[in-house]
């Protein structure tokens, strides 16, 4: 366990925005006018090597970056059309993941977003992933 307590560090659970497939409830907090998203990992996220499965990081990144794309698209629905993931280090079970992202470009139909994922401990922060992707803005015709 990392000893990191998200609630004690200003995070709030997004109970109405649970991740698909039972991956859990994301957390959110605003820092310097930018949203950050979190996920508390546990045994349900393990791969056979007893660390967090890379697919969990990808789903978490997709979910968190989608929030940023949605805001950039003036809260119109968006669909991920590309997601690139670079794994930098293994995430141990019980670590709290933090996604920091930013919109790098927006066109009429697309939103481009990039971000980093860190594992937070009680007194440490370690980069575990870098992500970027493209979201299509879905407009009602």
């Amino acid at each position: 366990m990392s000893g990191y307590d998200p609630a004690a560090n200003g995070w709030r659970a997004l109970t109405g925005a649970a991740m698909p497939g039972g991956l859990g409830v994301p957390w959110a907090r605003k820092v310097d006018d930018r949203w950050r998203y979190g996920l508390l990992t546990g045994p349900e996220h393990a791969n056979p090597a007893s660390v967090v499965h890379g697919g969990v990081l990808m789903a978490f990144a997709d979910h968190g970056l989608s929030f940023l794309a949605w805001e950039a698209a003036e809260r119109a629905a968006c669909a991920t059309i590309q997601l690139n993931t670079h794994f930098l280090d293994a995430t141990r079970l019980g670590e709290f993941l933090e996604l920091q992202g930013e919109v790098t470009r927006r066109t009429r139909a697309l939103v481009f977003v990039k971000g980093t994922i860190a594992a937070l401990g009680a007194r440490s922060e370690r980069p575990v992933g870098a992500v970027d992707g493209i979201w299509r803005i879905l407009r009602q015709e």
Side-chain angles (χ1 to χ4, degrees), residues 105-128:
R105 183 173 177 221
R106 181 185 184 266
T107 68
R108 188 176 67 77
L110 301 173
V111 181
F112 298 77
V113 187
K114 69 177 182 177
T116 57
I117 303 172
L120 303 184
R123 291 178 290 283
S124 65
E125 179 177 324
R126 183 172 44 82
V128 296

Side-chain angles (χ1 to χ4, degrees), residues 2 9 12 19 27 37 40 49 53 60 66 68 73 81 96-97 99 102-103 119-120 124-125 127:
S2 71
N9 285 283
R12 66 179 176 90
M19 293 179 45
W27 293 73
Y37 298 98
L40 186 58
H53 192 287
F60 169 60
S66 290
L68 299 175
I81 60 174
F96 185 80
L97 297 175
L99 171 70
E102 66 177 310
V103 173
L120 303 184
S124 65
E125 179 177 324

